[in-house]
Amino acid sequence: MIPFLDLQKINIRHEEAFKQEIDDLLKSGWFLLGDKLSEFERLFAQYCGVKYCVGVANGLDALILILEAYKEFGLMTTEDEVLVPANTYIASILAISKAGLKPILVEPRFDDYLIDPTKIEEKITNRTVAIMAVHLYGQVCDMNAINTIAQKYNLKVIEDSAQSHGAYYQNKRCGNLGDASGFSFYPGKNLGALGDGGAITTNDDALASVLKAYRNYGSNEKYHHKFKGINSRLDEMQAAFLTIKLKYLDDDNEKRRSIANTYLENIKNPTIILPIVNSSERHVWHLFVVRTKRRNLFQKYLLEKAVQTVVHYPIAPHRQEAFKEFINDTYPISEEIHDTVISLPISPVMMMDEVESIVKFVNLYS
Ligand SMILES: *Cc1c(COP(=O)(O)O)cnc(C)c1O
């Protein structure tokens, strides 16, 4: 079986370094908000090219906390509207709801599955406060177009970089392309922890300072609580693991690119629609997503050939029971994407012969 993603194989590469960190941690006895976190925050900020990185417990919290911090500044208030692509992973939309704001869905483009900048302005009202740009599947959105609209209407731009660690857009990395960015280090992401983790990156001094308190009960000084914060910390162990893995992120992304290029150059099957790449450095291939009309048959066929695939994502957010407020809305492009997408295996530890046999099976499919 060619697994969709082999997390055992990905992480066992660092076994010795991980064990050393566990040893260090047991000796130190310091588990939260210590040197390991500061070191990772410094390195990840440097990697993204930003002034600040604030580690938090997961990617969902990262996005929620950005919005909560803006509410503390009085820049947003309950029921204000945040624009977000209709086909994103549910967490982007949940973050907006959980922060007490109103998600407004914008249709994506068919070809690259990213938010369509030409459909943003028609959704802007006098309650709109931000655009959440989701770099879905690993490819950076059209940030010039998005930032131009944001400037015109005085909106914040929040990147959801949970799937795009390390991707570039015109010489800047994601995490440095808007006002603030949320990252996830969920184990399956391009930079994954051995458990949950997340971070926020920003160049905004005031925002970073609020966030550092907010993730720790609203406190920067023990027993002094400036904000009604929460408990959402990236622990020392995960921070240490992430510091080890960060060194390999660019290499791993290059491996993903070479697998994606093999798929793109060699899959030739008229029933399978390949993804569009805007430019090579803009995509880090968190997922390799194709479209096909008879998705279930295709998935069954590949499984018979011992190739595991996954659907990202089978149900559109506006069709989820949790979001009854969208029940009367239709988003035809998003719906068709959700009905037809299927992800082929891609990861830094896949063998080229595995990739080639997948190409062969896909080309033989009819
Ligand atoms: C994974 C993901 C998140 C949430 O991250 P968690 O760490 O699982 O909370 C948010 N947005 C997108 C696009 C994601 O893929």
Side-chain angles (χ1 to χ4, degrees), residues 58-60 63 88-89 91-92 134 160 162-163 184 186 189 197 313:
N58 55 67
L60 176 62
L63 297 170
T88 184
Y89 178 57
S92 326
V134 184
D160 180 343
Q163 302 191 356
S184 164
Y186 176 81
K189 303 289 161 101
Y313 301 91

Side-chain angles (χ1 to χ4, degrees), residues 51-173:
K51 275 163 83 177
Y52 304 102
C53 166
V54 181
V56 294
N58 55 67
L60 176 62
D61 280 359
L63 297 170
I64 295 174
L65 292 184
I66 292 168
L67 296 166
E68 291 287 358
Y70 282 134
K71 283 166 71 187
E72 289 290 343
F73 291 131
L75 293 172
M76 300 178 185
T77 181
T78 311
E79 289 300 302
D80 276 347
E81 297 171 355
V82 178
L83 307 183
V84 61
N87 64 320
T88 184
Y89 178 57
I90 197 84
S92 326
I93 303 173
L94 278 173
I96 300 167
S97 295
K98 283 288 159 201
L101 304 166
K102 204 171 154 194
I104 301 293
L105 307 185
V106 179
E107 283 270 55
R109 295 188 291 223
F110 262 127
D111 59 357
D112 62 7
Y113 314 118
L114 299 173
I115 190 168
D116 186 342
T118 68
K119 298 199 171 131
I120 290 178
E121 273 189 279
E122 66 202 46
K123 296 276 183 162
I124 293 175
T125 71
N126 58 3
R127 293 304 303 260
T128 310
V129 289
I131 303 171
M132 190 177 286
V134 184
H135 309 314
L136 200 67
Y137 305 151
Q139 182 159 221
V140 178
C141 300
D142 276 355
M143 293 309 293
N144 283 349
I146 291 168
N147 283 322
T148 304
I149 297 168
Q151 261 157 27
K152 182 169 161 193
Y153 294 93
N154 196 23
L155 311 175
K156 292 288 176 197
V157 174
I158 297 158
E159 293 176 82
D160 180 343
S161 305
Q163 302 191 356
S164 58
H165 320 70
Y168 276 100
Y169 181 86
Q170 298 171 355
N171 304 322
K172 279 189 190 177
R173 292 210 204 246

Side-chain angles (χ1 to χ4, degrees), residues 15 96 98 130 145 165 190 217 246 264 275 293 306 320 331 335:
E15 185 178 6
I96 300 167
K98 283 288 159 201
H165 320 70
N190 289 36
Y217 305 112
L246 180 60
L264 289 169
K293 286 239 180 304
Q320 296 287 353
Y331 298 92
E335 278 155 37

Side-chain angles (χ1 to χ4, degrees), residues 256-290:
R256 289 173 182 274
R257 280 194 187 106
S258 96
I259 294 166
N261 286 335
T262 306
Y263 283 148
L264 289 169
E265 284 161 22
N266 298 292
I267 293 178
K268 291 188 169 67
N269 183 328
T271 69
I272 306 298
I273 303 169
L274 295 170
I276 297 289
V277 194
N278 291 306
S279 75
S280 146
E281 72 284 357
R282 214 171 130 177
H283 209 323
V284 289
W285 299 102
H286 175 57
L287 297 169
F288 191 92
V289 179
V290 302

Side-chain angles (χ1 to χ4, degrees), residues 189-221:
K189 303 289 161 101
N190 289 36
L191 179 59
L194 306 188
D196 273 316
I200 298 145
T201 57
T202 184
N203 289 308
D204 182 335
D205 311 61
L207 186 71
S209 148
V210 173
L211 287 168
K212 286 214 166 177
Y214 223 97
R215 68 173 173 191
N216 187 37
Y217 305 112
S219 167
N220 269 331
E221 190 191 338

